[in-house]
Amino acid sequence: MSTDRWFPYRAWPDRPYWRWPNGSGLAVWIVVNIEHFEFGKLGTAIQPHLTSLPEIANYGWRDYGNRVGLWRLFELFEAYPTLKITAALNADICRLYPAIVAAIKESGWEVMAHGLNNSTGQAGLALETERSLIRQTLETIELATGQKPVGWLTPGFSITARTFDLLQTAGVRYLADWVNDDQPYYLSTEDGRLVAVPYSLETNDITLCLSGRYTGPEFSQAMRDQFDQLYLESQTGPARVYTLGLHPFIVGQPLRLRYMKEVLDHIAQTEECWSATGGEIAAHFDNLDT
């Protein structure tokens, strides 16, 4: 299987020079993953040795995000009105946690569809099963939030060869499944194209805090270092995207909140950047002649 059917290789030196709104060189995209993990199934684990079923230790750690951690993040982001947030939302959140949906609406966050739940991937699904799952996800989120999702992040990056075709046909306009660039680009499907908005596995709390076991100060420094380098490069070169991938059961923990605040302070004090939702980034790119 090759990626050629979706997108060609394009070397960075061959990119044209263009800017974000107001002449900004760097867009800031903050994504908060709001996820439901089904009890009795394995999932993201802070203690991988505690996985005998029914798994309660790691499940409880994940569940902390929806019970407590997310509310800490809602309060934190209120202090940064210039920073826009995109919620990568499992459809099951809408069914099981109405208080979370109400808070998303009150906070004015963009909603990006994030599949049915984080225990249900798409790899290996039959065509009609996957089509139905995508339709159910989009309809459930729209009904609950009042927003028609235009973006999509596949849970666990567990795609099929047809996922992107089905998403485009279902009305999705941008995709966060690719982490291979600093700029948006077009991804081809059978009936049109999607904008691939750069997501990140580097500036992602799962990578840094869970896999890398970074301390709070190390986490903050890494996030700020990524921002500073992209900002520096964007001053003289083509525009770029700085993405934060966050999970309430990780950065919503008390021991990390002050360091998350350090990162947001650092971003917010740089006025030349453009804080945007995934939909705004995709729409601006789609209107460029690149």
Side-chain angles (χ1 to χ4, degrees):
M1 188 180 196
S2 170
T3 60
D4 291 346
R5 64 162 291 213
W6 294 321
F7 50 81
Y9 170 75
R10 193 177 192 185
W12 187 263
D14 298 334
R15 313 289 178 90
Y17 180 90
W18 55 271
R19 311 312 275 165
W20 298 112
N22 301 320
S24 297
L26 186 61
V28 174
W29 188 31
I30 301 174
V31 180
V32 178
N33 292 268
I34 306 178
E35 301 164 339
H36 171 69
F37 293 83
E38 294 182 318
F39 184 64
K41 295 183 179 180
L42 299 179
T44 308
I46 191 171
Q47 294 287 1
H49 65 285
L50 299 176
T51 55
S52 58
L53 296 176
E55 176 204 42
I56 63 170
N58 292 300
Y59 175 85
W61 171 72
R62 295 188 297 266
D63 196 36
Y64 181 92
N66 291 333
R67 295 170 66 91
V68 183
L70 179 57
W71 306 98
R72 198 169 275 129
L73 295 182
F74 279 129
E75 183 176 357
L76 174 64
F77 285 120
E78 282 183 5
Y80 301 90
T82 62
L83 297 182
K84 297 184 178 180
I85 311 298
T86 295
L89 188 66
N90 286 162
D92 275 355
I93 293 289
C94 301
R95 179 174 60 87
L96 299 169
Y97 311 94
I100 291 179
V101 174
I104 291 172
K105 294 168 69 174
E106 183 178 354
S107 299
W109 291 7
E110 180 197 37
V111 171
M112 172 173 63
H114 191 26
L116 191 61
N117 57 58
N118 259 56
S119 301
T120 305
Q122 290 165 231
L125 292 182
L127 175 62
E128 291 307 318
T129 302
E130 185 176 19
R131 192 195 311 274
S132 176
L133 183 148
I134 290 171
R135 182 177 63 250
Q136 179 186 355
T137 297
L138 295 173
E139 290 177 352
T140 299
I141 292 174
E142 181 177 9
L143 181 63
T145 67
Q147 290 188 50
K148 181 179 177 62
V150 295
W152 181 279
L153 172 61
T154 306
F157 300 90
S158 58
I159 66 165
T160 72
R162 302 172 300 271
T163 297
F164 305 139
D165 301 320
L166 295 173
L167 290 173
Q168 195 277 335
T169 302
V172 171
R173 293 295 169 257
Y174 80 87
L175 184 73
D177 281 357
W178 288 94
V179 297
N180 57 353
D181 216 300
D182 287 334
Q183 285 186 330
Y185 60 85
Y186 287 120
L187 184 146
S188 298
T189 72
E190 289 180 346
D191 298 316
R193 64 188 185 184
L194 295 166
V195 177
V197 177
Y199 194 59
S200 178
L201 292 182
E202 290 280 355
T203 46
N204 190 298
D205 54 7
I206 286 183
T207 300
L208 297 179
C209 300
L210 191 58
S211 300
R213 299 298 195 196
Y214 279 33
T215 65
E218 290 171 336
F219 164 78
S220 171
Q221 189 65 58
M223 293 291 205
R224 288 181 284 126
D225 286 346
Q226 178 95 341
F227 175 87
D228 288 346
Q229 184 62 33
L230 287 172
Y231 176 77
L232 178 66
E233 293 172 352
S234 71
Q235 298 310 290
T236 55
R240 291 158 167 81
V241 178
Y242 169 74
T243 303
L244 289 177
L246 307 175
H247 298 77
F249 53 86
I250 298 179
V251 293
Q253 300 284 349
L255 76 164
R256 296 191 183 94
L257 197 70
R258 63 181 290 187
Y259 302 106
M260 189 69 246
K261 186 176 185 302
E262 283 183 1
V263 176
L264 298 179
D265 284 342
H266 190 68
I267 296 170
Q269 70 182 8
T270 308
E271 297 180 356
E272 296 86 354
C273 294
W274 180 50
S275 179
T277 66
E280 289 171 335
I281 290 171
H284 182 81
F285 177 78
D286 213 18
N287 287 326
L288 294 172
D289 183 16
T290 58

